[in-house]
Amino acid sequence: MAVQDEYILVTGGAGYIGSHTVIELINHGYKVIIVDNLCNSCYDAVARVEFIVRKSIKFFKLDLRDKEGLAQIFDTFKIKGVIHFAALKAVGESMKLPLEYYDNNICGTITLLNVMREHRVKTVVFSSSATVYGDATRFDNMIPIPESCPNDPTNPYGKTKYAIENIIKDLHTSDNTWRGAILRYFNPIGAHPSGLLGEDPLGIPNNLLPFLAQVAIGRREKLLVFGDDYDSHDGTPIRDYIHVVDLAKGHIAALNYLNKINNSEGMYREWNLGTGKGSSVFDIYHAFCKEVGKDLPYEVVGRRTGDVLNLTASPNRANSELKWKAELSITDACRDLWKWTIENPFGFQIDNYKWKLFNTLGIMDYKNRLHTICFQDLEVSIANYGALVQAVRYKGRNLVNGFNDFSRYKLKENPFFGATIGRFANRIANGQFEVDGHLYTLCKNENNKTTLHGGNNGFDKQFFLGPIARQYEDYNTLEFILVDKDGNNGFPSDLETLVKYTIKNNSLEIEYKSVIPEYSKLNVTAVNLTNHSYWNLASPNKTIDGTIIKSTTNVYLKVNSETSLPTGDIVEWQNDITKPTKLDPNISFDNCFIVDREASKFCLDTRKYSLKNIVEVIHPSVPVKLVVSTTEPAFQLYTGDGNDICEFQSRSGFCVETGRFINALNNEKWSKQVILRKGEVYGARSKFSLYAQDLEENKHFLDSASYNSGEYY
Amino acid sequence: MTGVHEGTVLVTGGAGYIGSHTCVVLLEKGYDVVIVDNLCNSRVEAVHRIEKLTGKKVIFHQVDLLDEPALDKVFANQNISAVIHFAGLKAVGESVQVPLSYYKNNISGTINLIECMKKYNVRDFVFSSSATVYGDPTRPGGTIPIPESCPREGTSPYGRTKLFIENIIEDETKVNKSLNAALLRYFNPGGAHPSGELGEDPLGIPNNLLPYIAQVAVGRLDHLNVFGDDYPTSDGTPIRDYIHVCDLAEAHVAALDYLRQHFVSCRPWNLGSGTGSTVFQVLNAFSKAVGRDLPYKVTPRRAGDVVNLTANPTRANEELKWKTSRSIYEICVDTWRWQQKYPYGFDLTHTKTYK
């Protein structure tokens, strides 16, 4: 395992093989820095890697030819070794743009090696290719191809690999403490079994399986089989196809091999990464058709110039020396590729979705981005920081308080604008709770007496991982994940939380799911999650006064006027808010309303319940209606009195914070709403729906005496 | 042809040994010359000598090919019609010690140069390659004397930069029909300009046989080490193809003339005499030019040395209408004249001459 605070630099770590290798590195305990110029890859791959491994990864958008930028990374971090993937890598394209391939691939590598040399980092695993062998069939008895096969690459891409192999070898000759591992791969295929990561099908796929996948989803008409008259078992050529996850593990094996060398020694060695079992075009075709569940159209056409019968690897050297071998089959690869393809038919390209960095001016830090889903009427922007809702624009009008300048969210006056609130929303008396006989003391961030919204370092101040952006027929989703560590703010147990936003043309739904992960040493904790958006239908630059609110409930938790903590009683609100209630400076709320007082009916995971409407909101001069619905037993209604930050003054927005009862932790009757144990799931759903409503309808809303809960729509 | 304007040729590394001699021939044949050289391995004095010998003005830019903006400026300001590319680090032994410097200077510099040629629509390109791209031609697949079809294999970082650059040029010409390239693979250059005003600047310990013998002759080195006298040759020492630097220079201009008349896309030519000489044959010829026997010691063979690396220059003879016209003896006489006149090369702070 890697020593603490030592990093492996992965160049091209956002690419197909690089991203899979980063996952394996982290699973093996390494810390990783990714450097990638993203000219042929997407940062979304890195975001998905973080999501898969549940860890933040240091990422720098950088071209390897930028020597100063690269040196700065080596100055800042202690780098133990480098895995070098960064390169342009399409054989066909390399023949059309040879200078770009030579410049990018060779000159980038030279700069990298120079910076490594200057920083005394001398361990490099290089992503080479079997293309360095050229046509190995020019020799008798050279199939399966061993590492000793003479090199004669036939295209610019292969020549750049050959050149770089030799540069690293010469470097080792000049200074034999360099450690170079050259991994020559055969045909990479497949995808991550999660379905979240795979080869991005930008443009026309170059290789057999990705092309087949495109045929399967209808983006390509048919597969062209270039010759079925070869001397093979079915007449089609044979290649060595290897699952990308096996390839990734080969890199870890090589890195571990290099790391075992004594400090004063070095080495240079090549290894083939292949299965040793060749498959023909029809073998691959049939395996993939089987996964898809139907035959796919193909046409046999003439052989291509330069194609040969069989280019299978001999992986014996890697098998015996690196203790590595390919474990996954063609079937595994086809299954994983098909899962990736159907879940990501356009790869990392998602309709209705765009993102940009969301940083303090001058900073470029990819851990915080602003993700925007755009439909015709509704546009929602959500940031990684706090998984916060930064904007909800309905028909051009932003209905929530938010900042365009990220640094403002960091101000201490920020009253949780748009934020995801956790580990425990609302208040906990005395900043402590007892469960199973253990007393846990939490961060008392409110007047040094109570814990409010999870403490000083709650979910609202953490960078969520992801998101996974997905598109469906008439909605998109964004899934963020946060791992809150055991002991943070005093809460016991590690907690893994998924926040999923579902956005349609007129609604934003928020779903929460929390579990205590298997690796957590403790097995019990407290959870209560909500969203803290401040809504204002009449924004911008107006208060909520004049807004009309109607709720489905008129009962709330009575609180002690001094502590704002519940007394345990559930009582009627002094006025009837099930009738339209106009907000004015004399009407303030910071109260927990009860949707269903029979708390015993509620369980930890409320997601299976149907959404119940809880609040409707209009403004007489605005043709929009907001309807809030939830599966939760309660919501805090808050009118934002006393807020004062930048352009947002007191009563700049109101909150409908759905969740569990206040201080449920310390109330024996209610605590099962919020005590989570390992093996259980906390879950919740809430929805904010927006409707275009003309002013006449608003008038009708005002005239209505009441409506029947549950039957309104 | 003299007196008629033939076009402007950019000569990279034009202040270097072969580059400077080539500039003399270009100017004599009516070309205008623009030199780009970063002088890290050469001196501006060579440029002055070129002008003195030809009586013509040379445009000189002290520019590193790695400095893209500066190189671009040269192309923008001169109406360049062709390029002869010599610039690059070129000591085999040094390249083994500092390989990254060789790869960076030689490969990146060439890529920048070709990019500028594309941008400014310069078609004709003569690349100073080397017979080192053949590696060990006595391995299976090779033949002696070595033809252009001999399989290539770099055996040192320096040799590999030549091989990689040939690949880069060849691949670029497959897609870029505005590039017309000659790859000149020469064997062992020697000699100096017969005026005694231009020759190889003896910086440090010489890498090659002829300059080494010259240092022995002037007493700066006490003897020549002969690495093996037990090869299967007429006198037991290895055979190499030595070519006079002026013959080489004329070959470059012949190649340029050929490119102007023919679109070849990318074509290699061997530049050698076709006649091999052993170490002792060269030593004897040099001793004759000096007028006395020179001291030597026989030491063991060096790893990687092979018996015979003679060129087959038939292709250049026939297509470029070029062949070597100066003998090994003339190579020695001209080297000795240069050595006597300028024992420290272009380093004019030393005025001592050999008596």
Side-chain angles (χ1 to χ4, degrees), chain B residues 10-15 19 34-37 65 71 83-88 113:
Chain B
L10 180 77
V11 183
T12 75
V34 176
I35 291 175
V36 161
D37 199 305
L65 293 186
L71 184 61
V83 171
I84 302 184
H85 180 32
F86 294 102
L113 179 64

Side-chain angles (χ1 to χ4, degrees), chain B residues 55-355:
Chain B
K56 295 182 179 177
K57 184 68 181 172
V58 167
I59 296 171
F60 172 73
H61 296 279
Q62 184 175 348
V63 163
D64 193 312
L65 293 186
L66 298 179
D67 185 348
E68 295 174 59
L71 184 61
D72 187 274
K73 197 170 174 183
V74 173
F75 274 84
N77 291 336
Q78 315 290 334
N79 188 21
I80 293 165
S81 53
V83 171
I84 302 184
H85 180 32
F86 294 102
L89 301 175
K90 54 191 69 182
V92 170
E94 184 188 45
S95 78
V96 175
Q97 300 305 312
V98 287
L100 287 183
S101 298
Y102 272 69
Y103 284 112
K104 179 175 178 171
N105 275 279
N106 295 8
I107 295 179
S108 298
T110 300
I111 289 175
N112 291 347
L113 179 64
I114 296 173
E115 295 281 15
C116 269
M117 291 181 66
K118 286 173 76 173
K119 180 176 176 182
Y120 290 92
N121 293 310
V122 179
R123 187 186 87 157
D124 297 328
F125 185 53
V126 177
F127 173 57
S128 162
S129 189
S130 168
T132 61
V133 300
Y134 296 123
D136 173 8
T138 64
R139 72 186 187 281
T143 56
I144 306 294
I146 305 164
E148 288 84 354
S149 57
C150 179
R152 295 172 298 161
E153 179 193 51
T155 52
S156 71
Y158 164 73
R160 278 188 272 280
T161 67
K162 294 300 188 183
L163 173 59
F164 295 162
I165 291 168
E166 288 199 0
N167 283 338
I168 290 170
I169 296 169
E170 181 182 12
D171 287 328
E172 178 63 14
T173 59
K174 287 173 181 170
V175 294
N176 176 0
K177 297 309 170 186
S178 298
L179 186 62
N180 192 29
L183 310 178
L184 302 185
R185 298 171 179 163
Y186 21 104
F187 286 68
N188 298 58
H193 196 270
S195 65
E197 295 297 315
L198 210 56
E200 187 163 22
D201 206 356
L203 295 165
I205 299 179
N207 288 288
N208 297 323
L209 177 61
L210 269 157
Y212 203 103
I213 295 176
Q215 297 290 300
V216 173
V218 295
R220 289 168 67 181
L221 295 170
D222 63 59
H223 67 270
L224 173 73
N225 282 318
V226 177
F227 299 107
D229 67 349
D230 59 349
Y231 288 89
T233 62
S234 61
D235 57 25
T237 59
I239 297 170
R240 295 294 183 266
D241 192 320
Y242 298 93
I243 175 172
H244 196 292
V245 65
C246 291
D247 280 330
L248 261 192
E250 288 167 8
H252 281 76
V253 183
L256 179 59
D257 289 343
Y258 189 84
L259 291 183
R260 294 174 61 204
Q261 301 301 319
H262 303 84
F263 182 77
V264 300
S265 192
C266 179
R267 191 155 177 81
W269 283 279
N270 282 341
L271 301 185
S273 65
T275 304
S277 302
T278 66
V279 172
F280 280 148
Q281 285 170 338
V282 175
L283 179 60
N284 290 336
F286 206 97
S287 296
K288 181 179 174 186
V290 172
R292 70 176 197 280
D293 283 347
L294 299 170
Y296 69 90
K297 289 181 183 175
V298 177
T299 60
R301 297 185 182 190
R302 289 178 302 192
D305 274 349
V306 297
V307 59
N308 188 343
L309 292 175
T310 301
N312 177 343
T314 305
R315 183 187 285 187
N317 298 163
E318 293 176 353
E319 295 177 9
L320 305 183
K321 303 295 188 287
W322 166 89
K323 68 183 196 298
T324 58
S325 61
R326 299 164 175 87
S327 67
I328 191 67
Y329 178 68
E330 283 181 82
I331 291 174
C332 293
V333 168
D334 290 343
T335 300
W336 182 231
R337 180 182 304 111
W338 159 253
Q339 187 67 63
Q340 286 187 289
K341 195 163 183 184
Y342 297 102
Y344 295 92
F346 297 112
D347 182 0
L348 302 183
T349 61
H350 291 80
T351 55
K352 176 183 175 184
T353 57
Y354 177 79
K355 298 300 180 187

Side-chain angles (χ1 to χ4, degrees), chain A residues 151 164-174 182 268 270, chain B residues 160:
Chain A
N151 296 341
I164 293 164
E165 287 194 9
N166 280 279
I167 291 170
I168 295 171
K169 181 192 274 188
D170 286 332
L171 200 48
H172 172 259
T173 299
S174 72
I182 306 299
Y268 171 89
E270 309 97 346
Chain B
R160 278 188 272 280

Side-chain angles (χ1 to χ4, degrees), chain A residues 257-482:
Chain A
Y257 192 85
L258 295 184
N259 285 339
K260 285 174 186 155
I261 299 171
N262 290 337
N263 281 344
S264 57
E265 293 173 20
M267 69 173 299
Y268 171 89
R269 194 143 175 84
E270 309 97 346
W271 287 279
N272 283 341
L273 297 187
T275 64
K277 299 189 278 281
S279 301
S280 70
V281 172
F282 280 145
D283 288 336
I284 299 295
Y285 169 82
H286 290 307
F288 194 73
C289 288
K290 186 175 177 184
E291 288 307 314
V292 174
K294 66 180 183 181
D295 282 348
L296 300 170
Y298 71 89
E299 179 188 348
V300 178
V301 295
R303 296 186 180 192
R304 286 180 302 195
T305 306
D307 274 349
V308 297
L309 167 63
N310 189 343
L311 292 175
T312 300
S314 169
N316 294 343
R317 186 187 282 187
N319 296 164
S320 60
E321 296 178 10
L322 303 183
K323 304 293 188 284
W324 166 91
K325 73 182 199 294
E327 307 272 3
L328 298 166
S329 67
I330 296 299
T331 299
D332 293 323
C334 290
R335 178 184 316 121
D336 293 338
L337 176 61
W338 185 227
K339 182 176 168 69
W340 158 253
T341 303
I342 57 181
E343 294 184 11
N344 307 272
F346 299 92
F348 298 111
Q349 186 184 313
I350 307 293
D351 283 348
N352 311 321
Y353 170 61
K354 63 187 179 186
W355 62 263
K356 63 182 183 181
L357 295 186
F358 193 44
N359 295 149
T360 301
L361 203 63
I363 302 288
M364 266 188 69
D365 188 343
Y366 281 75
K367 74 185 178 194
N368 201 31
R369 298 183 287 153
L370 192 62
H371 309 272
T372 300
I373 302 291
C374 280
F375 284 101
Q376 180 179 312
D377 294 336
L378 182 63
E379 178 182 303
V380 178
S381 295
I382 298 165
N384 288 85
Y385 182 71
L388 65 82
V389 175
Q390 186 260 354
V392 177
R393 289 186 184 81
Y394 184 66
K395 292 183 180 283
R397 185 190 299 267
N398 187 12
L399 304 180
V400 298
N401 296 170
F403 301 115
N404 290 325
D405 178 350
F406 173 65
S407 58
R408 294 182 167 186
Y409 279 102
K410 303 278 241 167
L411 297 172
K412 67 182 194 301
E413 298 85 8
N414 175 19
F416 305 95
F417 274 175
T420 299
I421 307 297
R423 189 179 297 204
F424 203 94
N426 222 313
R427 294 180 175 85
I428 299 175
N430 299 317
Q432 65 183 34
F433 70 97
E434 182 180 330
V435 62
D436 299 342
H438 289 276
L439 183 69
Y440 297 100
T441 301
L442 309 172
C443 171
K444 298 173 186 173
N445 60 322
E446 188 181 48
N447 303 320
N448 289 314
K449 289 181 178 176
T450 56
T451 302
L452 174 64
H453 292 334
N456 280 331
N457 187 31
F459 285 17
D460 59 294
K461 293 183 173 60
Q462 299 190 49
F463 292 95
F464 282 65
L465 304 173
I468 306 296
R470 302 183 198 265
Q471 84 182 72
Y472 297 89
E473 189 173 341
D474 65 348
Y475 64 97
N476 280 57
T477 63
L478 293 172
E479 295 169 67
F480 294 83
I481 211 151
L482 179 70

